[in-house]
Amino acid sequence: MSVETSPKLGWIGAGRMGSVLAERLLRSGFDLAVYNRTPAKATPLQDLGATVAEAPSDLAGRDIVFTMIGGDADLLSVTDGTGGLLTGSRGPGLLIDCSTVSSDVSGRVRRRGEEIGTPMLAAPVSGNPKVARAGMLSLVVSGPRESFDRARPYLHLLGRSVTYVGEGDEARLVKIAHNLLLGVVAQCLAEITVLAERGGVARSDLLAFINDSVMGSTFTRYKTPAFVNLDFHPTFTGRLLRKDLELGLEAGRDLHVPLPVTAAVHEVVSALVSEGYGDEDFAALLLLEAAGAGVQLEPERVDVDDGLHAIDDLARAARGEA
């Protein structure tokens, strides 16, 4: 697709994930305007050619605008708050929200967009910034089918997998269900790791076995370095996981589905935040579990593979470095 005939794009939210995805669009040659509440975070994107907007409303004339922000309140603020994207008499040609928010707030934003002729797609993502940098994210999308067909080429620039699940806000439920599984698996992994360590098994040995078994996964592999060497630099924080667990429990109540395991994990993650680990990576659940068992953890200082080296190779190849 030539840049001359391609749409003018907008991006709201230049955090850890949003900045990586916006960069992918810039490197594909698109005219991109970016808004971030803290303007300095958008400077690296400006250096790559993005225009930095002073308010979300400055992007209302764009053909397609993506949002990637922290939660319900933030989405409402950038769309319907002072200087919001959808507060004028017209909005962008299409809004694609990649955030993880509630179906209630998503519906409110969708309805506001419809009032001024802006359709909306919900397109939350699965993966961390390293995966995003290589274009290997998974996206789940819902909204008007015509809008999805229009957006499909740009969504595929952001990730390797794009799954369409319905005309409404179904994507929100799918993403929340995904993150409930994420929390439950993380807590279970923390429990068995501390159990094995108490029994004299090195964490690196346990996880090497798990990762090469039928229970191993991309997730268990890329969390292995954190568990082995106690590096909890955040890819997804405990505070954000707690928010998503609460959204899942709310969905369970609304749909009359009991979620006893999710409820138990929510209690543990809430304790993680209360103990001061809310802004660490949620893999810090390992520390909470160890404290409860009276186990003193030390970094093993072992060079372990996170399973994502192949993704790094793909990213370098895409940049012409390999």
Side-chain angles (χ1 to χ4, degrees), residues 5 28 151 163 169 202 258 273 295 305:
T5 61
S28 295
T163 304
D169 276 319
V273 174
V295 173
D305 184 10

Side-chain angles (χ1 to χ4, degrees), residues 109-252:
V109 174
R110 186 187 301 277
R111 289 189 293 272
R112 173 57 189 155
E114 290 171 349
E115 290 173 2
I116 59 172
T118 297
M120 173 179 163
L121 292 175
V125 305
S126 171
N128 63 30
K130 184 175 183 179
V131 177
R133 191 166 287 108
M136 298 295 286
L137 289 178
S138 297
L139 294 88
V140 58
V141 187
S142 64
R145 181 72 201 212
E146 181 180 356
S147 297
F148 171 71
D149 290 338
R150 175 187 173 195
R152 191 199 302 259
Y154 315 108
L155 295 170
H156 276 289
L157 290 174
L158 303 182
R160 66 178 176 82
S161 168
V162 179
T163 304
Y164 180 74
V165 294
E167 293 273 345
D169 276 319
E170 294 89 347
R172 305 296 187 188
L173 182 59
V174 173
K175 178 58 191 298
I176 290 301
H178 170 279
N179 281 12
L180 300 190
L181 182 61
L182 188 75
V184 168
V185 171
Q187 174 58 21
C188 185
L189 195 63
E191 291 178 10
I192 66 167
T193 301
V194 172
L195 176 66
E197 175 137 336
R198 170 59 69 79
V201 178
R203 300 189 300 278
S204 54
D205 290 338
L206 170 74
L207 290 164
F209 170 72
I210 294 291
N211 290 338
D212 285 333
S213 77
V214 295
M215 297 305 297
S217 66
T218 300
F219 175 74
T220 65
R221 292 183 186 96
Y222 82 64
K223 284 305 177 191
T224 291
F227 272 48
V228 170
N229 296 318
L230 308 185
D231 178 4
F232 301 111
H233 181 77
T235 58
F236 186 63
T237 67
R239 201 177 302 277
L240 290 174
L241 179 59
R242 180 180 65 175
K243 178 208 64 169
D244 289 354
L245 290 168
E246 289 168 353
L247 289 174
L249 291 170
E250 180 182 351

Side-chain angles (χ1 to χ4, degrees), residues 289-317:
E289 181 66 25
V295 173
Q296 181 66 43
L297 299 181
E298 297 292 342
E300 292 187 11
R301 306 190 190 285
V302 175
D303 185 16
V304 291
D305 184 10
D306 65 3
L308 297 180
H309 58 279
I311 288 178
D312 284 339
D313 291 344
L314 285 172
R316 287 194 292 272

